[in-house]
Amino acid sequence: MTWAIDLQNITREFTVRRPRRVVRAVDDLTLQVADGEAVGFVGANGAGKSTTIKMLTGILMPTRGTVRVLGRRPVPERRHLAREIGVVFGQRSQLWWDLPLRDSFAILGSMHRLAPSAQAARLARLVEGLDLAPFLDQPVRQLSLGQRMRGEVAAALLHSPRLVVLDEPTIGLDMISKEGLRRFLVEDRAERGTTLLLTTHDMADVERLCERIVVVSDGRTAYDGTLAGLRDSLRTPRELVVDLAAPLGVLELPEGAQTVAVEAGGIRHRIRFHAAEHSAAALLARITAQAEVADLSMAEPAIEDLVREIFARRP
């Protein structure tokens, strides 16, 4: 397998003063991301996410360990790597503050040595997909935060990078704009096979864009796997919401499942259970043997709650 990102046992330490001490921001972290994979890289503030991104983009050197990105060493080969990665990183803008957004794209296209025809075609796709046309000729300083973030994403994607690193890409966007950005990123990845590393506090971004989630805490990996696996590993209960055709005060449930609420005069029952103990199908069969079911839905635990649970369980 070819790794777009290959971090092996990396540690990054900083020396601070008053009092003088060594702070370990990243602690023996190993992370591998395959070509074409989409990974959500999440954790609380101070967990080591930003420091890790700075090391894989060549801004920082690890104190210990090895870093390979697209087969290159980020620091000594930073100029070559810049042609193959696109980054939206925190408050670091790559747009020119006093120039119209269109001019920033023209400058970036020249910096990446894009052929005029290729640049025009790519920019047209980005303008349409990210809905940039209404403010393309406005100076960047006049844009709202949401508009500027869409411009930042377009700037990161302009040269069709193999690896895209996005840090909080939907910050400042309304719900419609968020969903539009997510839809475009999904479509663009499908077309180009781009690798995506996403850091965000909006867990809907992770659920919509990523097949895998890596949770970091204190500079170390707390979880690495699928969202479904995260839910299973924490044994977080699921909730089955059942609407009956006729009111019923009490449903007889198997051991380990419990009714947490009865609403609408006995029509709606909210039942909490663990997937390791009961399947939804078996539970539904038990219910339909007692009453006619008119409607049902399943409520999965929110990913924010899952991440919070991981942090709460760490010593």
Side-chain angles (χ1 to χ4, degrees), residues 15-172:
T15 301
V16 298
R17 299 179 178 179
R18 297 183 183 179
R20 187 179 178 86
R21 67 191 189 278
V22 174
V23 175
R24 185 170 293 174
V26 176
D27 186 6
D28 197 35
L29 178 71
T30 293
L31 173 66
Q32 292 178 308
V33 178
D35 276 339
E37 193 174 13
V39 176
F41 190 56
V42 304
N45 290 331
K49 305 185 303 297
S50 295
T51 302
T52 301
I53 290 174
K54 287 177 181 177
M55 286 189 284
L56 67 87
T57 53
I59 297 172
L60 290 176
M61 280 278 290
T63 305
R64 290 183 293 277
T66 60
V67 180
R68 294 289 184 275
V69 178
L70 301 176
R72 298 184 182 276
R73 297 169 299 165
V75 173
E77 299 180 85
R78 189 174 173 186
R79 290 182 61 186
H80 293 283
L81 193 60
R83 299 170 187 162
E84 300 181 284
I85 65 174
V87 183
V88 174
F89 187 60
Q91 300 303 313
R92 293 175 179 265
S93 178
Q94 55 186 322
L95 304 174
W96 277 260
W97 195 246
D98 292 313
L99 296 181
L101 184 60
R102 185 190 303 275
D103 290 0
S104 286
F105 294 144
I107 294 171
L108 289 167
S110 296
M111 291 173 62
H112 287 292
R113 300 178 182 176
L114 300 180
S117 58
Q119 178 177 331
R122 181 61 171 159
L123 182 57
R125 176 76 176 95
L126 293 168
V127 168
E128 178 186 8
L130 296 172
D131 193 23
L132 305 180
F135 50 89
L136 196 58
D137 292 306
Q138 286 183 231
V140 171
R141 57 182 165 78
Q142 294 180 2
L143 302 181
S144 68
L145 176 59
Q147 290 172 332
R148 184 170 61 80
M149 287 306 299
R150 278 186 278 164
E152 295 282 1
V153 171
L157 298 177
L158 182 63
H159 58 296
S160 302
R162 292 172 54 195
L163 168 65
V164 177
V165 180
L166 300 180
D167 182 21
E168 300 287 358
T170 62
I171 189 170

Side-chain angles (χ1 to χ4, degrees), residues 42 170 175 178-179 182 186 198 200-210 227 302-304:
V42 304
T170 62
M175 292 304 297
K178 281 185 180 183
E179 186 54 35
R182 292 167 186 156
V186 169
L198 171 72
T200 180
H201 285 90
D202 188 336
M203 294 306 166
D205 290 345
V206 178
E207 292 187 288
R208 183 75 168 84
L209 297 173
C210 302
L227 287 174
I303 190 171
E304 294 97 328

